[in-house]
Structures are given as structure tokens and as C-alpha cells.
Amino acid sequence: MSSRAHLARNLRLLRASCGLSQEALADAAGIDRTYVSALERQKYSVSIDRLDRLAASLGVKPYTLLMDELPDTGAGEQE
């Protein structure tokens, strides 16, 4: 699986586990909702700065969004 695919999956799982809509996450990260949607659909790659903002908004370290498997937070089981 590519890094882009890992990001898409982890972003979607973590966002859902936090109970956030794409719009709420986008607002918290200071980006557009359509950008979050495109990331989750693997349409865009992400800059380091935006990765940092998304991770902070989700309460995780940036590298977590690129991991093969999420730490046992219960989020990985929602797939």
C-alpha cells in the first residue's frame, strides 16, 4: 500500500473515531473541506505543513497518519 493510501485510510479512520465530519476536521486544521475529501480519496498528496495541522487537529503525531497500521486505539477496527 502506498503512503498516499495509508494517509487516506488513517485520516478517515481517525477522523471517524474522533466523531468529526470532514468539514469539522477541515475547520480545525484551517483547510478546505474539499481538500480533506480529496485526501481521503487519494486524489492529492499532502504537504508537511498540512500533515502537521491535520495531525494536531486529530490529536496524533504526524507520522501516525502514514503508518501501515494504526496503534490500538480502536480506530483500525472500524474499517
Side-chain angles (χ1 to χ4, degrees), residues 23-50:
E23 186 170 3
L25 175 58
D27 287 345
I31 59 178
D32 193 83
R33 187 215 46 92
T34 59
Y35 187 75
V36 172
S37 174
L39 290 174
E40 290 186 359
R41 290 180 290 119
Q42 302 181 46
K43 298 297 180 188
Y44 294 151
S45 57
V46 68
S47 72
I48 294 297
D49 294 334
R50 287 188 177 163

Side-chain angles (χ1 to χ4, degrees), residues 41-76:
R41 290 180 290 119
Q42 302 181 46
K43 298 297 180 188
Y44 294 151
S45 57
V46 68
S47 72
I48 294 297
D49 294 334
R50 287 188 177 163
L51 184 72
D52 285 345
R53 292 195 320 232
L54 287 164
S57 297
L58 292 166
V60 297
K61 298 284 187 187
Y63 66 82
T64 305
L65 293 173
L66 300 173
M67 295 177 74
D68 291 344
E69 293 183 27
L70 290 173
D72 189 18
T73 62

